[in-house]
Amino acid sequence: MTEPWSRAAWLATAVVLVWVSSNINWGGEQWRHIVQADAKGYHAYLPAILLYGDPNLGFFTEIEQGKYYNENFFYDYRSAHDGHTVNKYFAGTAVAQLPFFLLAHVAALIGPADADGFSKPYSIGVNLAAIAWTLLGLWCTMRLLASFGVEDRWRAFTILAFVLGTNLFYYAVVAPGMSHAYSFGACTAFLLSMRQWSLQGRTQDLIVAGLLLGLIVLIRPVNALVVFALPVVWERPLDVLAQLVKRPIPTLSAGIVALLIAGVQPLYYKVATGSWFVYSYGEEGFRWHDPHFLDILFSYRKGLFVYAPLLLLACGGLWFMWERSRTQVISWLLFIVALTYVLGSWWNWWYGGSFGSRVYVEYLFLFALPFALALQWLGGRMRKAYIALSVILVLVCQIQIYQMRYSRIHWDGMDREQYWDVFLRIDRLF
């Protein structure tokens, strides 16, 4: 299969992500901005276990409150449990960053930086890890779209539009220490593996899917919901489920692999506290009776479609999916509704400091599919209009990301008045 356009788009994306990251993050003291807030907790697992041998984070005072203290970026990621200190966050992002941490450690050992797990090479390693997982997710998006019969040129346009026109770009480049770029890569690769298994029945695809599912849970347990998106990528869901039951050994093997990977978290808790289970989020939790369903999608504070309007345009492609498979569209709608209910029920439904509704980044393929199918099946002036509108919405997203970087869009407290006061006002950035 020849695919010059999509491969070129993927390579161009890699160059852009590395170039922009090096430009805004790697020079001077800018590297200190890479690992902030929650990202500090994700990253801390690696030096804690590999360098300090201290799962209880005893180095926090010396490192976070001492050597690398910055009042603008200080964040305490520790949580107390039965007299022990543990990392508040889950370990999966650290596992995804591990190869890049090791490379950074080698660079620190042979270079001028301190090999303490927190100096400049380690932060750049985090940035490169996020880029790598983003590129993995985009590559898997290309392969998935190809399996749905999307032409090479429309696959290329789709991945460029989605990396530049959504908050994926922000979490690959501006906030690469957060978990979302890693979850995007893992979730998309999981969907690809399960689609390949449904089409070809290869055991290795099922085992890889099990490994990825374990990592997905280890990164953010709520993202285990991705399994309910499988009917969207399966041609005949009931037949596929029947095959899983008829082949118990591969199915159980994949399940065991998933449990072993996800089991890293309770193992950490056992070593750190003596207990297999720790709820490290204190009073934080889901409020199932009060889901902010519309807010998480449309509010000026963090609305998904406000800060990534390209995704709203993509929903129009469901019409073309309906022509292809009504089962897939119904599955898509049910999944997005259920996902939005769960995500909107979290006590902090806007998820703190973020650009847009960051918790949907993991599921971008589900929007890329109808978007690409619309490109495939539209013709003439309608396709040209769709492409033109897509380009405009990509530019809107990029301007908003730029405004976010310079605090013209507030990280937490936007409202209608503030939003329209700064909307597309790039003149205020110079």
Side-chain angles (χ1 to χ4, degrees):
M1 179 186 299
T2 58
E3 44 189 23
W5 289 106
S6 55
R7 288 178 183 269
W10 186 85
L11 289 172
T13 298
V15 171
V16 168
L17 293 179
V18 172
W19 178 73
V20 175
S21 294
S22 65
N23 185 47
I24 69 175
N25 291 336
W26 301 356
E29 296 297 303
Q30 292 299 108
W31 64 272
R32 298 181 184 275
H33 302 181
I34 295 174
V35 181
Q36 301 182 39
D38 300 14
K40 286 179 172 285
Y42 300 136
H43 171 74
Y45 276 101
L46 294 171
I49 303 302
L50 299 180
L51 301 186
Y52 299 99
D54 181 10
N56 299 111
L57 311 173
F59 55 84
F60 186 90
T61 301
E62 177 186 352
I63 295 293
E64 299 286 8
Q65 294 178 318
K67 186 175 182 180
Y68 293 101
Y69 177 77
N70 183 314
E71 63 179 351
N72 296 316
F73 301 113
F74 176 76
Y75 185 75
D76 194 342
Y77 45 81
R78 297 172 298 173
S79 179
H81 178 79
D82 289 344
H84 300 280
T85 299
V86 296
N87 195 317
K88 174 181 177 179
Y89 298 98
F90 295 97
T93 300
V95 172
Q97 293 171 349
L98 176 58
F100 298 87
F101 179 87
L102 296 176
L103 290 173
H105 190 58
V106 172
L109 288 172
I110 64 178
D114 291 342
D116 58 7
F118 295 89
S119 61
K120 184 174 182 178
Y122 301 97
S123 290
I124 293 176
V126 167
N127 200 165
L128 289 173
I131 291 173
W133 281 91
T134 298
L135 292 173
L136 172 64
L138 293 173
W139 182 265
C140 292
T141 298
M142 288 164 45
R143 306 307 326 135
L144 277 162
L145 293 177
S147 73
F148 279 91
V150 177
E151 294 178 17
D152 178 49
R153 54 181 173 163
W154 307 130
R155 300 200 302 271
F157 186 83
T158 298
I159 66 167
L160 287 174
F162 269 67
V163 75
L164 297 173
T166 72
N167 45 3
L168 176 61
F169 184 87
Y170 185 87
Y171 287 101
V173 171
V174 183
M178 299 296 282
S179 67
H180 306 290
Y182 309 92
S183 289
F184 167 69
C187 286
T188 313
F190 170 75
L191 292 174
L192 175 61
S193 296
M194 289 303 291
R195 178 163 174 81
Q196 288 177 330
W197 185 84
S198 73
L199 296 174
Q200 302 173 21
R202 299 183 304 184
T203 298
Q204 58 264 40
D205 289 325
L206 196 59
I207 299 301
V208 169
L211 187 153
L212 290 165
L213 182 59
L215 181 61
I216 288 166
V217 173
L218 191 60
I219 294 174
R220 284 174 65 88
V222 72
N223 286 341
L225 290 169
V226 72
V227 299
F228 297 105
L230 287 172
V232 179
V233 299
W234 286 343
E235 298 295 334
R236 292 177 293 277
L238 293 178
D239 291 345
V240 178
L241 289 173
Q243 286 301 312
L244 287 171
V245 174
K246 291 178 181 178
R247 300 180 61 183
I249 293 179
T251 302
L252 288 173
S253 298
I256 291 170
V257 170
L259 288 173
L260 288 174
I261 300 298
V264 168
Q265 193 66 46
L267 180 62
Y268 163 74
Y269 290 143
K270 182 66 175 177
V271 171
T273 71
S275 301
W276 286 103
F277 177 78
V278 173
Y279 187 74
S280 59
Y281 280 74
E283 298 298 319
E284 301 175 35
F286 290 95
R287 298 174 180 173
W288 302 112
H289 64 286
D290 186 29
H292 288 257
F293 199 97
L294 293 179
D295 287 331
I296 200 171
L297 295 178
F298 295 105
S299 73
Y300 289 101
R301 189 173 195 176
K302 293 295 176 185
L304 174 69
F305 296 130
V306 172
Y307 293 97
L310 182 75
L311 299 182
L312 188 59
L313 177 65
C315 292
L318 292 173
W319 173 265
F320 302 99
M321 281 182 65
W322 183 265
E323 293 295 314
R324 185 184 187 279
S325 171
R326 295 185 179 186
T327 299
Q328 287 176 321
V329 174
I330 293 171
S331 298
W332 191 98
L333 291 170
L334 289 174
F335 177 76
I336 294 298
V337 168
L339 176 70
T340 301
Y341 170 74
V342 172
L343 298 179
S345 295
W346 184 246
W347 75 276
N348 185 350
W349 62 265
W350 62 96
Y351 292 87
S354 61
F355 175 66
S357 191
R358 58 186 172 93
V359 287
Y360 284 88
V361 171
E362 287 85 325
Y363 309 100
L364 282 179
F365 170 74
L366 297 177
F367 294 90
L369 178 59
F371 179 86
L373 291 177
L375 287 170
Q376 176 89 349
W377 289 331
L378 283 171
R381 293 181 179 178
M382 289 295 292
R383 178 184 284 161
K384 291 178 181 178
Y386 195 85
I387 292 172
L389 183 55
S390 299
V391 172
I392 291 171
L393 296 180
V394 166
L395 292 175
V396 169
C397 184
Q398 282 296 307
I399 290 170
Q400 292 188 141
I401 289 174
Y402 200 73
Q403 290 176 312
M404 177 74 180
R405 285 183 55 216
Y406 288 96
S407 301
R408 297 302 187 271
I409 291 177
H410 192 269
W411 57 272
D412 182 68
M414 291 296 287
D415 57 25
R416 179 197 297 268
E417 182 179 354
Q418 293 179 75
Y419 181 84
W420 289 111
D421 181 57
V422 302
F423 183 68
L424 302 187
R425 291 299 302 270
I426 58 175
D427 56 301
R428 297 182 182 177
L429 298 174
F430 304 108

